[in-house]
Amino acid sequence: MWGRELIEAAIAGNSCEVNGFWVGHPSDEAKKIYYQETGITGNNGKSEADFNLKINSDMIWLSPELDPECWKSPDGSPMWNCFNEERKSLGSGGIFADCESIAEIEAFPWPDPAYLDFTNCLEDSRYAYEKGLAVFGGMWCPFFHILCDFFGMENYFVKMYTDPEVVHAATRHIVDFYLEANRRYLWQAKPYLSAAFFGNDLGTQLSLLISPESFDEFVLPYLTEIVQGIKAEGLKTAMHSCGAIDLIIPKLIDAGIDILHPLQAKAAGMDAENLAAKYGGKLVFMGGVDTQELLPFGNGSQVKEEVLRLRDIFKGKFIVSPSHEALLPNVPFENVMAMSAGAKEESVHLSKTQI
């Protein structure tokens, strides 16, 4: 068993002798190195599918938002025109930095889903599907980050208290765009998809970026709408969030999340033992192989040993993958292949004395 069959077995909770593996979505600089190692040419969805096949990765992530040709606004403006000038930091105020008026939000020229062209992504998804890979796809829907850009990150968080109606108004427009965009895309792509995949980074290394109460008011209802739109197409739902998000995992489960990614291994409360003890059987876990220390600085034997340990902790509902999908060029190709080998080693049952 390999590829799509193995990933879908994990999602279904079926026991297998080996685990599914996803290499993630390496940075462009890392891809150059890895593609050279595997003889892959080009830099598009099809070449990424070929790369995944070469290294025995069982799935691929293909989103319209990864395709630079997807957005075709008639006036050439970007999908999210958040800034009047070049952003210098995450805290730089965007167009709504000083906004205190719902009328100003309503007057903004919000993007139109009609300007999305899904041709390339659909073709790439079909190609990967026909090659036997599981495809995770759909709009990325990073509404939390887009609001950080429009307001400025710290300013966005402050406005949750000072101007909540303004925050809700802006969120409504962004999420409505994504709901309609996903509706238009998923009904065409779902024959090729094993799950829809979207993401918003909600955690720091130590805790949430915002309070649990703010999450409940300003994020969770909109996140739930996105999940409901995906479920309406009959698809499983995978969600990405970096950071220490243990506090909200029960709410994500209640919202309908089936697969959680990337399990930032060094973040507080995100260690495999804690996650498995609290949520084992309630979620499929995808990720967990540490990208902060192990993958860039460890060796292949250490990486493989950690993969085997994670497999033993999480059991069947686990997809081996890095704890952040965008592998950087400091992660040696040897360690990428060690992840792959560890995922495919049969009959893993480690005792505490072996780990």
Side-chain angles (χ1 to χ4, degrees), residues 194-325:
S194 296
F197 194 19
F198 75 101
N200 287 274
D201 290 334
L202 301 170
T204 71
Q205 193 79 1
L206 299 176
S207 189
L208 298 175
L209 280 162
I210 57 178
S211 70
E213 294 77 18
S214 293
F215 171 79
D216 288 347
E217 179 176 353
F218 295 100
V219 177
L220 182 58
Y222 301 102
L223 183 154
T224 301
E225 288 185 45
I226 292 170
V227 173
Q228 289 172 341
I230 292 168
K231 299 287 188 181
E233 298 296 337
L235 289 165
K236 296 293 186 179
T237 305
M239 178 179 158
H240 164 98
S241 177
C242 291
I245 61 167
D246 182 35
L247 280 173
I248 60 170
I249 291 177
K251 297 174 182 179
L252 299 179
I253 294 170
D254 289 343
I257 299 300
D258 301 297
I259 304 152
L260 185 64
H261 173 269
L263 318 184
Q264 189 171 317
K266 298 294 184 180
M270 299 303 290
D271 56 284
E273 292 86 352
N274 179 59
L275 295 177
K278 287 184 175 180
Y279 314 114
K282 300 177 182 177
L283 279 171
V284 177
F285 294 106
M286 179 166 73
V289 185
D290 173 41
T291 56
Q292 291 179 255
E293 296 178 8
L294 176 63
L295 282 172
F297 307 120
N299 59 43
S301 295
Q302 292 168 326
V303 171
K304 185 178 178 182
E305 181 181 356
E306 175 65 0
V307 169
L308 297 178
R309 187 184 76 90
L310 292 172
R311 286 179 57 190
D312 194 59
I313 292 170
F314 285 127
K315 309 304 180 187
K317 298 192 78 168
F318 178 53
I319 299 169
V320 175
S321 197
S323 69
H324 192 278
E325 79 286 349

Side-chain angles (χ1 to χ4, degrees), residues 3 5 20 39 41 43 51 65 86 122 131 141 155 176 226 236-237 246 291 298:
E5 187 179 5
T41 58
N43 187 21
F51 168 66
E65 288 182 86
E86 184 178 354
L122 288 168
K131 290 289 186 178
C141 307
N155 197 29
D176 280 350
I226 292 170
K236 296 293 186 179
T237 305
D246 182 35
T291 56

Side-chain angles (χ1 to χ4, degrees), residues 137-153:
M139 300 297 288
W140 193 231
C141 307
F143 65 91
F144 184 82
H145 302 283
I146 293 166
L147 288 159
C148 285
D149 289 346
F150 270 121
F151 291 111
M153 180 177 276

Side-chain angles (χ1 to χ4, degrees), residues 40-96:
I40 300 296
T41 58
N43 187 21
N44 53 41
K46 292 183 177 64
S47 57
E48 188 159 350
D50 291 339
F51 168 66
N52 276 266
L53 290 164
K54 282 265 190 177
I55 64 169
N56 293 321
S57 176
D58 300 290
M59 60 167 277
I60 188 171
W61 168 45
L62 293 169
S63 170
E65 288 182 86
L66 294 172
D67 175 17
E69 297 181 16
C70 175
W71 179 247
K72 295 184 175 179
S73 173
D75 62 4
S77 60
M79 184 186 300
W80 299 110
N81 197 10
C82 302
F83 302 99
N84 286 320
E85 57 186 39
E86 184 178 354
R87 180 174 69 174
K88 296 179 181 178
S89 72
L90 290 175
S92 296
I95 286 173
F96 296 146

